[in-house]
Every structure is written in structure tokens, then in C-alpha cells.
Amino acid sequence: MKKRVVVALGHRALGTTLPEQKEAVKKTAKVIADMVAAGYQAAITHSNAPQVGMIHTAMNEFGKAHQDYTAAPMSVCSAMSQGYIGYDLQNGIREALLDQGIYRTVSTILTQVVVDPYDEAFYTPTKVLGRYMNAEEAGQERKKGNYVVEEPGKGFRRIVSAPNPGKIVEIDAIRALLDADQVVIACGGGGIPVLQQDNHLKGASAVIEKDLTAGKLAEEVEADMLIILTSVEKVKINMGRPEEEELGEITLEEAKRYMEEGHFGVYNMLPKFRASTEFIEKGEGRTALITSFDKLNDALKGKTGTWIGR
């Protein structure tokens, strides 16, 4: 049977601007196509931080210039970013597969992820987005109930919460596509955050940590492997010290110990290790790989990367 994997693409795999994304996706699509050609069954998720910030800013500026239009809520901006990134990714991967003589449908699923309204993250927002504002504009944001933070000498910026992912709403559709041996792009940017009220889903003013959602997705589709692609070939511990060390193959227990010792900060590598360890703990025979997207094929051959397993 084919190995089922969930691949989480980081910022480098997508670029920032429209032209950068077009160029970056060509390289990323080739890497994903090579993996599919090697016999892997893949679900792809991705970062969206620059893109959702750009969309949020553009929609808000449009709303200010046209009195009949309102600013777009974060959930809508997240949905738009999933469509915009997914469009480029699915076309890029399809083309790269066809270049290798492989016909495989590639589909993007706009994916909602339920979050807990009582998640502590809603009381301590951490994710900064959007353009810089002056004091008057920041005051207007506060009147709307939004959080803003001042960056000395630069101005004010909107700041939103980052709750933990709960249920993936469209999980049955994602499973069906994987079972049909198709490539699926889902849970982009951590998923569109929603609050569930009986049968109604209401968009939440938040962003979800993409790596944690990738781990949740891998768990829900019963993947064999979680692959998190980032900017480094191997993860390091004791950064900047004489005892600095690259991590190759490590056990689940070692990964958890490194987390407890504080080697990975809060917002960069820590969510990747948390997602990996939680995924491995919840099933037998699972592994996680953290490496750079341009080294993925070498890593899958066991030549590089940071591997976590039991």
C-alpha cells in the first residue's frame, strides 16, 4: 500500500507577493510531484501569513474608501487566501505531475476548523497582521472590540488570537479524495477558524497555528507520516552555543525533552515539534520529518532532515 503523508508547506515554499508566489510554487510543485511519483499519497497544507495579511489590508482599505462596503472579517480573509494559494498550488502540482506522465486530479478544499470559544488564546492574542496604523485608526479598531499593539517608532498593528485547532469540518471530503488516490490541498493557513453554534458555523476573529492543524489533519486521515517543510535542512538545539547540534534521527521521548528544555522558542520551531509529537503519540508506526522543501527528496531517502519516531 502507498504511504499516506501530510505535507505542511512553510513560507519559503510560497513566497510573499503575487510574482514571488508564482515562481516559488513552480519549485514546490516539482518537489511534491516527485514525492507522488515515488509512491506517496499526499495531502498538502500550507502557510498563509503574508497572503492573509495582504488580503486583510486590501479589503479594509477598500471598505474605508467605499462607504457601502464593510471591512472583511478574518474568517473571510482566511477563506480568500486558501482559494488564492490553492489555485496556484493545484495548477502547479497538476502540471508537474503531467510533465512526468502522471495524470492525477489535484483539488483544493476550502477547509473550516472549529475552535473552542473558551480557548485561553482568545484572552491573549499573539498574531500580528495587516498594515501599520496611526493612533486614531488604532482607537477605531479598539472601539470595534479588536486588539491592537504599538510598535515604537512604527505605529499600531492589529493583533489576533491563535486558538488550538478542534474538529476539521470538511474531513470526510478530504478522506474521500485521498482514498481515491488524488492529491488534496486542505487546511490552508491552519484552516478557517469557526465557532460552532448548534448547526451554524460562525467565523472567528483568529488565526490557527498551521503546524498544529497539519498534525490534526495527519491524525484524522490516519497518515503514516507528517512532513513539515521549513527554512532549515535540520533542526538545531543549543543555538549559538559551542555545543550547538543538528538533530538527525531522534525518539519521541528526546523530542519531548528538547521541548521541555526550551530549545525551540515559542512561535517558530515549537509548534512543529508539538504537532509532530502529538501526531506520533496517537498512533502506532507513525513518523514525523522536519526539513527544508528543497531537501525533501533527499530526506525521504534517509540522507538528511530531522526525523522523529518511537
Side-chain angles (χ1 to χ4, degrees):
M1 291 180 64
K2 292 186 176 182
K3 271 195 172 182
R4 179 171 290 187
V5 300
V6 168
V7 183
L9 301 175
H11 167 61
R12 276 190 64 201
L14 297 173
T16 300
T17 65
L18 281 161
E20 280 183 12
Q21 180 169 304
K22 287 284 187 186
E23 288 304 309
V25 162
K26 289 179 184 177
K27 298 175 184 177
T28 302
K30 176 67 166 58
V31 170
I32 299 298
D34 287 345
M35 185 181 67
V36 173
Y40 289 91
Q41 195 177 69
I44 314 297
T45 186
H46 57 80
S47 167
N48 74 338
Q51 290 85 355
V52 79
M54 176 180 65
I55 292 167
H56 180 264
T57 299
M59 296 299 290
N60 282 359
E61 290 302 303
F62 186 84
K64 285 168 60 178
H66 300 79
Q67 62 179 10
D68 294 333
Y69 291 85
T70 60
M74 274 305 301
S75 55
V76 172
C77 295
S78 180
M80 294 173 74
S81 75
Q82 283 189 4
Y84 147 52
I85 295 169
Y87 164 68
D88 276 345
L89 267 179
Q90 70 183 37
N91 284 343
I93 295 169
R94 174 185 176 276
E95 181 178 337
L97 286 169
L98 288 172
D99 287 343
Q100 297 192 45
I102 300 169
Y103 177 77
R104 195 71 49 85
T105 301
V106 186
S107 305
T108 299
I109 299 290
L110 292 186
T111 316
Q112 302 172 96
V113 176
V114 176
V115 297
D116 183 351
Y118 301 107
D119 192 307
E120 290 185 4
F122 282 112
Y123 305 102
T124 54
T126 58
K127 297 286 187 178
V128 178
L129 80 155
R131 66 170 178 82
Y132 287 100
M133 301 177 287
N134 59 36
E136 181 182 350
E137 291 171 321
Q140 292 172 353
E141 287 296 321
R142 290 192 180 102
K143 287 179 182 178
K144 297 176 188 175
N146 295 327
Y147 291 92
V148 296
V149 62
E150 183 176 8
E151 295 184 25
K154 295 183 177 180
F156 299 81
R157 295 183 75 187
R158 175 90 181 274
I159 185 168
V160 297
S161 303
N164 290 310
K167 182 175 69 174
I168 298 171
V169 178
E170 289 77 19
I171 192 64
D172 289 340
I174 296 167
R175 285 197 196 106
L177 290 171
L178 286 174
D179 289 345
D181 202 24
Q182 298 184 18
V183 179
V184 58
I185 300 160
C187 296
I192 304 163
V194 293
L195 304 170
Q196 186 161 8
Q197 302 168 339
D198 296 323
N199 292 331
H200 177 64
L201 297 175
K202 176 181 173 58
S205 183
V207 294
I208 305 172
E209 174 56 60
K210 66 177 177 59
D211 295 317
L212 298 183
T213 302
K216 182 78 173 176
L217 175 62
E219 176 193 339
E220 292 291 329
V221 300
E222 299 182 346
D224 300 293
M225 188 190 309
L226 171 64
I227 301 173
I228 299 179
L229 301 181
T230 183
S231 59
V232 297
E233 184 174 340
K234 290 184 177 182
V235 180
K236 293 181 180 180
I237 57 173
N238 300 312
M239 288 281 288
R241 303 175 191 168
E243 62 271 30
E244 182 176 290
E245 177 187 354
E246 287 186 331
L247 300 177
E249 292 187 19
I250 62 173
T251 65
L252 176 64
E253 289 70 27
E254 287 174 320
K256 292 170 74 173
R257 174 163 55 84
Y258 293 142
M259 290 167 62
E260 291 169 2
E261 291 173 353
H263 286 282
F264 307 126
V266 178
Y267 303 118
N268 185 17
M269 201 57 68
L270 184 62
K272 296 171 175 48
F273 267 73
R274 181 181 158 195
S276 298
T277 55
E278 289 179 359
F279 165 66
I280 293 168
E281 281 181 317
K282 292 175 181 175
E284 294 297 323
R286 295 177 174 181
T287 56
L289 167 64
I290 303 173
T291 191
S292 58
F293 83 94
D294 55 332
K295 295 294 182 179
L296 175 58
N297 288 330
D298 284 342
L300 291 174
K301 295 172 185 174
K303 296 179 180 179
T304 190
T306 297
W307 288 87
I308 307 169
R310 287 185 183 273

